[in-house]
Amino acid sequence: MVRFDKDRYVIEVYTGGDPVENWLELHKEIVCLISLINQDNMPKDGLCYLSQLLEEMMPEWEIARKREQ
């Protein structure tokens, strides 16, 4: 589900299981797809929104460390 606020959008994904494992698999799949892009199939406007999404998907260090404990 996507929710739009004044200056942001929020994406919520129901995983039906461990959200960390699902997030890791999604991240791996996105990276795999990006690796398939070359000059012949690159979108005309580049991948600026995708890079922003990937950057925002990364948890802060403290949050990631809490999961290990």
Side-chain angles (χ1 to χ4, degrees):
M1 180 180 104
V2 177
R3 183 178 75 243
F4 297 98
D5 293 339
K6 181 180 178 185
D7 62 348
R8 71 189 74 224
Y9 58 90
V10 179
I11 300 171
E12 294 182 38
V13 179
Y14 174 77
T15 63
D18 185 342
V20 173
E21 289 178 13
N22 282 259
W23 174 84
L24 287 170
E25 287 301 316
L26 172 61
H27 202 269
K28 186 167 56 173
E29 288 176 9
I30 292 172
V31 170
C32 178
L33 289 172
I34 291 171
S35 72
L36 299 174
I37 296 174
N38 59 42
Q39 288 182 327
D40 297 328
N41 61 14
M42 171 67 82
K44 187 168 71 171
D45 295 334
L47 299 172
C48 63
Y49 295 110
L50 180 58
S51 61
Q52 180 184 10
L53 173 65
L54 289 175
E55 182 178 338
E56 295 297 331
M57 284 177 65
M58 295 304 296
E60 299 211 5
W61 178 252
E62 294 79 22
I63 293 171
R65 294 286 296 164
K66 284 182 184 178
R67 184 65 180 172
E68 292 179 2
Q69 299 172 358

Coordinates of all heavy atoms in Angstrom, one line a residue:
M1 N 0.8 -1.2 0.0 CA 0.0 0.0 0.0 C 0.9 1.2 0.0 O 1.9 1.3 0.6 CB -0.9 0.0 1.2 CG -1.8 1.2 1.3 SD -2.8 1.2 2.8 CE -2.0 2.4 3.7
V2 N 0.5 2.2 -0.7 CA 1.2 3.5 -0.7 C 0.3 4.6 -0.1 O -0.9 4.7 -0.4 CB 1.6 3.9 -2.2 CG1 2.3 5.3 -2.2 CG2 2.5 2.9 -2.8
R3 N 0.9 5.3 0.8 CA 0.2 6.5 1.4 C 0.9 7.7 1.1 O 2.2 7.8 1.1 CB 0.1 6.3 2.9 CG -0.7 7.3 3.6 CD -0.8 7.1 5.1 NE 0.5 7.4 5.8 CZ 1.3 6.5 6.4 NH1 1.0 5.3 6.5 NH2 2.4 6.9 7.0
F4 N 0.3 8.8 0.7 CA 0.9 10.0 0.3 C 0.6 11.1 1.4 O -0.5 11.3 1.8 CB 0.4 10.6 -1.0 CG 0.7 9.6 -2.1 CD1 -0.3 8.7 -2.6 CD2 1.9 9.7 -2.8 CE1 0.0 7.9 -3.6 CE2 2.2 8.8 -3.8 CZ 1.2 7.9 -4.2
D5 N 1.7 11.6 2.0 CA 1.6 12.7 2.9 C 2.0 14.0 2.2 O 2.3 14.0 1.0 CB 2.5 12.4 4.1 CG 2.1 11.2 5.0 OD1 0.9 10.9 4.9 OD2 2.9 10.6 5.7
K6 N 2.1 15.1 3.0 CA 2.4 16.4 2.4 C 3.8 16.4 1.6 O 3.8 16.9 0.5 CB 2.5 17.4 3.5 CG 2.8 18.8 3.0 CD 2.8 19.8 4.1 CE 3.1 21.2 3.6 NZ 3.3 22.2 4.6
D7 N 4.8 15.8 2.2 CA 6.1 15.9 1.6 C 6.8 14.6 1.5 O 8.0 14.5 1.4 CB 7.0 16.9 2.4 CG 7.3 16.4 3.8 OD1 6.6 15.5 4.3 OD2 8.2 17.0 4.4
R8 N 6.0 13.5 1.4 CA 6.6 12.1 1.3 C 5.6 11.1 0.9 O 4.4 11.4 0.9 CB 7.2 11.7 2.6 CG 6.2 11.4 3.7 CD 6.7 11.2 5.1 NE 7.1 12.5 5.6 CZ 8.3 12.7 6.3 NH1 9.1 11.7 6.5 NH2 8.6 13.9 6.7
Y9 N 6.1 10.0 0.5 CA 5.2 8.9 0.3 C 5.7 7.7 1.1 O 6.9 7.6 1.4 CB 5.0 8.5 -1.2 CG 6.2 8.1 -1.9 CD1 6.7 6.8 -2.0 CD2 7.0 9.1 -2.6 CE1 7.8 6.4 -2.7 CE2 8.1 8.7 -3.3 CZ 8.5 7.4 -3.4 OH 9.7 7.1 -4.0
V10 N 4.8 6.9 1.6 CA 5.1 5.8 2.5 C 4.6 4.5 1.9 O 3.4 4.4 1.5 CB 4.4 6.0 3.9 CG1 4.7 4.8 4.8 CG2 4.8 7.3 4.5
I11 N 5.5 3.6 1.7 CA 5.1 2.3 1.1 C 5.1 1.2 2.2 O 6.1 1.1 3.0 CB 6.2 1.9 0.1 CG1 6.2 2.9 -1.0 CG2 5.8 0.5 -0.5 CD1 7.4 2.7 -2.0
E12 N 4.0 0.6 2.4 CA 3.9 -0.5 3.4 C 3.7 -1.8 2.6 O 2.8 -1.9 1.7 CB 2.7 -0.3 4.3 CG 2.9 0.9 5.2 CD 1.7 1.1 6.2 OE1 1.2 0.1 6.7 OE2 1.4 2.2 6.4
V13 N 4.4 -2.8 2.9 CA 4.4 -4.1 2.2 C 4.0 -5.2 3.3 O 4.8 -5.4 4.2 CB 5.7 -4.4 1.5 CG1 5.6 -5.8 0.8 CG2 6.0 -3.3 0.5
Y14 N 2.9 -5.9 3.1 CA 2.6 -7.0 3.9 C 3.4 -8.2 3.4 O 3.4 -8.5 2.2 CB 1.1 -7.4 3.8 CG 0.8 -8.6 4.6 CD1 0.7 -8.6 5.9 CD2 0.6 -9.8 3.9 CE1 0.4 -9.8 6.6 CE2 0.3 -11.0 4.6 CZ 0.2 -10.9 5.9 OH -0.1 -12.1 6.6
T15 N 4.2 -8.8 4.3 CA 5.1 -9.9 3.9 C 4.5 -11.3 4.3 O 4.9 -12.2 3.6 CB 6.5 -9.7 4.6 OG1 6.3 -9.8 6.0 CG2 7.1 -8.4 4.2
G16 N 3.7 -11.4 5.3 CA 3.2 -12.7 5.6 C 4.2 -13.5 6.3 O 4.0 -14.7 6.6
G17 N 5.4 -13.0 6.6 CA 6.4 -13.7 7.3 C 7.4 -12.7 7.9 O 7.0 -11.6 8.3
D18 N 8.7 -13.1 7.9 CA 9.7 -12.3 8.4 C 10.0 -11.1 7.5 O 10.5 -11.3 6.4 CB 11.0 -13.1 8.6 CG 12.1 -12.3 9.3 OD1 12.0 -11.1 9.4 OD2 13.0 -13.0 9.8
P19 N 9.7 -9.9 7.9 CA 9.9 -8.7 7.0 C 11.4 -8.5 6.7 O 11.6 -8.0 5.6 CB 9.3 -7.5 7.8 CG 9.2 -8.0 9.2 CD 9.1 -9.5 9.2
V20 N 12.3 -8.8 7.6 CA 13.7 -8.6 7.3 C 14.1 -9.6 6.1 O 14.8 -9.1 5.2 CB 14.6 -8.8 8.5 CG1 16.0 -8.8 8.2 CG2 14.2 -7.8 9.6
E21 N 13.7 -10.8 6.2 CA 14.1 -11.8 5.2 C 13.5 -11.3 3.8 O 14.1 -11.4 2.8 CB 13.6 -13.2 5.5 CG 14.4 -13.8 6.6 CD 13.9 -15.2 7.0 OE1 13.1 -15.8 6.3 OE2 14.4 -15.7 8.1
N22 N 12.2 -10.9 3.8 CA 11.6 -10.4 2.6 C 12.3 -9.2 2.1 O 12.5 -9.1 0.8 CB 10.1 -10.1 2.9 CG 9.2 -11.4 2.9 OD1 8.6 -11.7 2.0 ND2 9.3 -12.1 4.1
W23 N 12.6 -8.3 2.9 CA 13.4 -7.1 2.5 C 14.7 -7.4 1.8 O 15.0 -6.9 0.8 CB 13.6 -6.1 3.7 CG 14.4 -5.0 3.3 CD1 14.0 -3.8 2.7 CD2 15.8 -4.8 3.5 NE1 15.1 -3.0 2.5 CE2 16.2 -3.6 3.0 CE3 16.8 -5.7 4.0 CZ2 17.5 -3.2 3.0 CZ3 18.1 -5.2 4.0 CH2 18.4 -4.0 3.5
L24 N 15.4 -8.4 2.5 CA 16.7 -8.8 1.9 C 16.5 -9.4 0.5 O 17.3 -9.1 -0.4 CB 17.4 -9.8 2.9 CG 18.0 -9.2 4.1 CD1 18.4 -10.3 5.1 CD2 19.1 -8.3 3.9
E25 N 15.5 -10.2 0.4 CA 15.3 -10.9 -1.0 C 14.9 -9.8 -2.0 O 15.3 -9.9 -3.1 CB 14.2 -11.9 -0.9 CG 14.7 -13.2 -0.2 CD 15.9 -13.8 -0.9 OE1 15.9 -13.9 -2.1 OE2 16.9 -14.2 -0.1
L26 N 14.0 -8.9 -1.6 CA 13.6 -7.8 -2.5 C 14.9 -7.0 -3.0 O 15.0 -6.7 -4.1 CB 12.6 -6.9 -1.9 CG 12.3 -5.6 -2.6 CD1 11.7 -5.9 -4.0 CD2 11.3 -4.7 -1.8
H27 N 15.7 -6.6 -2.0 CA 16.9 -5.9 -2.3 C 17.8 -6.6 -3.3 O 18.3 -6.0 -4.2 CB 17.6 -5.5 -1.0 CG 18.5 -4.4 -1.1 ND1 19.8 -4.5 -1.4 CD2 18.3 -3.0 -0.9 CE1 20.4 -3.3 -1.4 NE2 19.4 -2.4 -1.1
K28 N 18.0 -7.9 -3.0 CA 18.8 -8.7 -3.9 C 18.2 -8.8 -5.3 O 18.9 -8.7 -6.3 CB 18.9 -10.2 -3.3 CG 19.8 -11.0 -4.1 CD 20.2 -12.3 -3.3 CE 19.0 -13.1 -2.9 NZ 19.3 -14.4 -2.4
E29 N 16.9 -8.9 -5.5 CA 16.2 -8.9 -6.8 C 16.4 -7.6 -7.5 O 16.7 -7.6 -8.7 CB 14.8 -9.3 -6.6 CG 14.5 -10.7 -6.2 CD 13.1 -11.0 -6.0 OE1 12.2 -10.2 -6.3 OE2 12.8 -12.1 -5.5
I30 N 16.3 -6.5 -6.8 CA 16.4 -5.2 -7.4 C 17.8 -5.0 -7.9 O 18.1 -4.5 -9.1 CB 16.0 -4.1 -6.5 CG1 14.5 -4.1 -6.2 CG2 16.4 -2.7 -7.0 CD1 14.1 -3.1 -5.1
V31 N 18.8 -5.4 -7.1 CA 20.2 -5.3 -7.5 C 20.5 -6.2 -8.8 O 21.2 -5.8 -9.7 CB 21.2 -5.7 -6.4 CG1 22.6 -5.8 -6.9 CG2 21.1 -4.7 -5.3
C32 N 19.9 -7.4 -8.8 CA 20.0 -8.2 -10.0 C 19.5 -7.6 -11.2 O 20.1 -7.6 -12.3 CB 19.3 -9.6 -9.7 SG 19.4 -10.7 -11.1
L33 N 18.3 -7.0 -11.1 CA 17.7 -6.3 -12.2 C 18.5 -5.1 -12.7 O 18.7 -4.9 -13.9 CB 16.3 -5.9 -11.9 CG 15.2 -7.0 -11.8 CD1 13.9 -6.4 -11.2 CD2 15.0 -7.7 -13.1
I34 N 19.1 -4.4 -11.8 CA 19.9 -3.2 -12.2 C 21.2 -3.7 -12.9 O 21.6 -3.1 -13.8 CB 20.3 -2.4 -10.9 CG1 19.1 -1.7 -10.3 CG2 21.4 -1.4 -11.2 CD1 19.3 -1.1 -9.0
S35 N 21.7 -4.9 -12.5 CA 22.9 -5.4 -13.2 C 22.6 -5.7 -14.6 O 23.6 -5.8 -15.4 CB 23.4 -6.6 -12.4 OG 22.6 -7.7 -12.6
L36 N 21.4 -5.9 -15.0 CA 21.0 -6.2 -16.4 C 20.9 -5.0 -17.3 O 20.8 -5.2 -18.5 CB 19.7 -7.0 -16.4 CG 19.7 -8.3 -15.7 CD1 18.3 -8.9 -15.7 CD2 20.7 -9.3 -16.3
I37 N 20.9 -3.8 -16.7 CA 20.8 -2.6 -17.5 C 22.1 -2.3 -18.2 O 23.2 -2.3 -17.6 CB 20.3 -1.4 -16.6 CG1 19.0 -1.7 -16.1 CG2 20.4 -0.1 -17.4 CD1 18.5 -0.7 -15.0
N38 N 22.0 -1.9 -19.4 CA 23.2 -1.4 -20.2 C 22.8 -0.2 -21.0 O 21.7 0.3 -20.9 CB 23.8 -2.5 -21.1 CG 22.8 -3.0 -22.1 OD1 22.0 -2.2 -22.7 ND2 22.7 -4.3 -22.2
Q39 N 23.7 0.4 -21.8 CA 23.4 1.6 -22.5 C 22.2 1.4 -23.5 O 21.6 2.4 -23.8 CB 24.6 2.0 -23.3 CG 25.7 2.6 -22.4 CD 26.9 3.1 -23.2 OE1 27.3 2.5 -24.2 NE2 27.6 4.1 -22.7
D40 N 22.0 0.2 -24.0 CA 20.9 0.0 -24.9 C 19.5 0.0 -24.3 O 18.5 0.2 -25.0 CB 21.2 -1.3 -25.7 CG 22.4 -1.3 -26.5 OD1 22.8 -0.2 -27.0 OD2 23.0 -2.4 -26.6
N41 N 19.4 -0.4 -23.0 CA 18.1 -0.5 -22.4 C 18.0 0.4 -21.2 O 17.0 0.3 -20.4 CB 17.8 -1.9 -22.1 CG 18.8 -2.5 -21.1 OD1 19.5 -1.8 -20.4 ND2 18.7 -3.8 -20.9
M42 N 18.9 1.4 -21.0 CA 18.8 2.3 -19.9 C 17.6 3.3 -20.2 O 17.5 3.8 -21.3 CB 20.1 3.1 -19.8 CG 20.0 4.3 -18.8 SD 19.9 3.8 -17.1 CE 21.6 3.4 -16.7
P43 N 16.8 3.5 -19.1 CA 15.7 4.5 -19.3 C 16.3 5.9 -19.7 O 17.4 6.3 -19.2 CB 15.0 4.6 -17.9 CG 15.4 3.3 -17.3 CD 16.7 2.9 -17.8
K44 N 15.6 6.6 -20.5 CA 16.1 7.9 -21.0 C 16.4 8.9 -19.9 O 17.4 9.6 -20.0 CB 15.0 8.5 -22.0 CG 15.5 9.8 -22.7 CD 14.5 10.2 -23.8 CE 13.2 10.7 -23.2 NZ 12.4 11.3 -24.2
D45 N 15.6 8.9 -18.9 CA 15.9 9.8 -17.7 C 16.8 9.2 -16.7 O 16.9 9.8 -15.6 CB 14.5 10.2 -17.1 CG 13.7 11.0 -18.1 OD1 14.3 11.6 -19.0 OD2 12.5 11.0 -17.9
G46 N 17.3 8.0 -16.9 CA 18.2 7.4 -15.9 C 17.4 6.7 -14.8 O 16.3 6.4 -14.9
L47 N 18.1 6.5 -13.7 CA 17.5 5.8 -12.6 C 17.5 6.6 -11.3 O 17.7 6.0 -10.2 CB 18.3 4.5 -12.3 CG 18.3 3.5 -13.5 CD1 19.3 2.4 -13.3 CD2 16.9 3.0 -13.8
C48 N 17.3 7.9 -11.3 CA 17.4 8.7 -10.2 C 16.4 8.3 -9.1 O 16.7 8.3 -7.9 CB 17.3 10.2 -10.5 SG 15.7 10.7 -11.2
Y49 N 15.2 8.0 -9.4 CA 14.2 7.6 -8.4 C 14.4 6.3 -7.8 O 14.2 6.1 -6.6 CB 12.8 7.6 -9.0 CG 12.3 9.0 -9.5 CD1 12.2 9.4 -10.8 CD2 12.1 10.0 -8.5 CE1 11.8 10.6 -11.2 CE2 11.7 11.3 -8.9 CZ 11.6 11.6 -10.2 OH 11.2 12.9 -10.6
L50 N 15.0 5.4 -8.6 CA 15.3 4.0 -8.1 C 16.5 4.1 -7.1 O 16.4 3.5 -6.0 CB 15.7 3.1 -9.2 CG 16.0 1.7 -8.8 CD1 14.9 1.0 -8.0 CD2 16.4 0.8 -10.0
S51 N 17.5 4.9 -7.4 CA 18.6 5.1 -6.4 C 18.1 5.7 -5.2 O 18.6 5.4 -4.1 CB 19.7 5.9 -7.1 OG 19.3 7.2 -7.4
Q52 N 17.2 6.7 -5.2 CA 16.6 7.3 -4.0 C 15.9 6.3 -3.2 O 16.0 6.2 -2.0 CB 15.7 8.5 -4.4 CG 15.1 9.1 -3.2 CD 14.2 10.2 -3.5 OE1 13.8 10.4 -4.7 NE2 13.8 11.0 -2.5
L53 N 15.1 5.4 -3.9 CA 14.3 4.4 -3.2 C 15.3 3.4 -2.5 O 15.1 3.1 -1.3 CB 13.4 3.6 -4.1 CG 12.7 2.4 -3.5 CD1 11.7 2.8 -2.5 CD2 12.1 1.6 -4.6
L54 N 16.3 3.0 -3.2 CA 17.3 2.0 -2.6 C 18.0 2.6 -1.4 O 18.2 2.0 -0.4 CB 18.3 1.5 -3.6 CG 17.7 0.6 -4.7 CD1 18.8 0.3 -5.7 CD2 17.2 -0.7 -4.0
E55 N 18.4 3.9 -1.5 CA 19.0 4.6 -0.4 C 18.1 4.6 0.8 O 18.5 4.4 2.0 CB 19.4 6.0 -0.8 CG 20.2 6.7 0.3 CD 20.6 8.1 -0.2 OE1 20.7 8.4 -1.4 OE2 20.8 9.0 0.7
E56 N 16.8 5.0 0.6 CA 15.9 5.1 1.7 C 15.5 3.7 2.3 O 15.1 3.6 3.5 CB 14.7 5.9 1.3 CG 14.9 7.3 0.9 CD 15.4 8.1 2.1 OE1 15.1 7.8 3.3 OE2 16.2 9.1 1.8
M57 N 15.7 2.7 1.5 CA 15.4 1.3 2.0 C 16.4 0.8 3.0 O 16.1 -0.1 3.8 CB 15.3 0.3 0.9 CG 14.0 0.4 0.1 SD 14.0 -0.7 -1.3 CE 14.0 -2.3 -0.5
M58 N 17.6 1.4 3.1 CA 18.6 0.9 4.0 C 18.3 1.4 5.4 O 18.0 2.5 5.6 CB 20.0 1.5 3.5 CG 20.4 1.0 2.2 SD 20.5 -0.8 2.1 CE 21.8 -1.2 3.3
P59 N 18.3 0.4 6.3 CA 18.0 0.8 7.7 C 19.2 1.5 8.3 O 20.3 1.4 7.9 CB 17.8 -0.6 8.4 CG 18.6 -1.5 7.6 CD 18.6 -1.0 6.2
E60 N 18.9 2.3 9.3 CA 20.0 3.0 10.1 C 20.7 1.9 10.8 O 20.2 0.8 11.1 CB 19.4 4.0 11.0 CG 18.6 5.1 10.3 CD 18.7 6.4 11.0 OE1 19.4 6.5 12.0 OE2 18.0 7.3 10.5
W61 N 22.0 2.1 11.1 CA 22.9 1.1 11.7 C 22.3 0.6 13.0 O 22.3 -0.7 13.2 CB 24.3 1.8 11.9 CG 25.2 0.8 12.6 CD1 25.7 0.9 13.9 CD2 25.9 -0.3 12.0 NE1 26.5 -0.1 14.1 CE2 26.7 -0.9 13.0 CE3 25.8 -0.9 10.7 CZ2 27.4 -2.0 12.8 CZ3 26.6 -2.1 10.5 CH2 27.4 -2.6 11.5
E62 N 21.8 1.4 13.8 CA 21.3 1.0 15.1 C 20.1 0.0 14.9 O 19.9 -1.0 15.6 CB 20.9 2.1 16.0 CG 22.0 3.0 16.4 CD 22.5 4.0 15.3 OE1 21.7 4.3 14.4 OE2 23.7 4.4 15.4
I63 N 19.2 0.3 14.0 CA 18.1 -0.5 13.7 C 18.5 -1.9 13.2 O 18.0 -2.9 13.6 CB 17.1 0.2 12.7 CG1 16.5 1.4 13.4 CG2 16.0 -0.8 12.3 CD1 15.7 2.3 12.4
A64 N 19.5 -1.9 12.3 CA 20.0 -3.2 11.7 C 20.6 -4.0 12.8 O 20.5 -5.2 12.8 CB 20.9 -2.9 10.6
R65 N 21.4 -3.4 13.7 CA 22.1 -4.1 14.7 C 21.1 -4.7 15.7 O 21.3 -5.8 16.2 CB 23.0 -3.2 15.5 CG 24.2 -2.7 14.7 CD 25.2 -3.8 14.4 NE 25.8 -4.2 15.7 CZ 26.5 -5.3 15.9 NH1 26.7 -6.1 14.9 NH2 27.0 -5.6 17.1
K66 N 20.0 -4.0 16.0 CA 19.0 -4.5 16.9 C 18.4 -5.9 16.5 O 18.1 -6.7 17.3 CB 17.8 -3.5 17.1 CG 18.2 -2.4 18.0 CD 17.0 -1.5 18.2 CE 17.4 -0.2 19.0 NZ 16.3 0.7 19.2
R67 N 18.3 -6.0 15.2 CA 17.7 -7.3 14.6 C 18.6 -8.5 14.9 O 18.2 -9.6 15.1 CB 17.6 -7.1 13.1 CG 16.9 -8.2 12.4 CD 15.5 -8.4 12.9 NE 14.9 -9.6 12.2 CZ 13.8 -10.1 12.5 NH1 13.0 -9.6 13.4 NH2 13.4 -11.1 11.8
E68 N 19.9 -8.2 15.0 CA 20.9 -9.4 15.3 C 20.8 -9.9 16.7 O 21.2 -11.0 17.0 CB 22.3 -8.9 14.9 CG 22.6 -8.6 13.5 CD 24.0 -8.1 13.2 OE1 24.8 -8.0 14.2 OE2 24.3 -7.9 12.1
Q69 N 20.4 -9.0 17.6 CA 20.5 -9.4 19.0 C 19.3 -10.2 19.5 O 18.3 -10.4 19.0 CB 20.5 -8.1 19.9 CG 21.7 -7.3 19.6 CD 21.7 -5.9 20.2 OE1 20.8 -5.6 20.9 NE2 22.8 -5.2 20.0

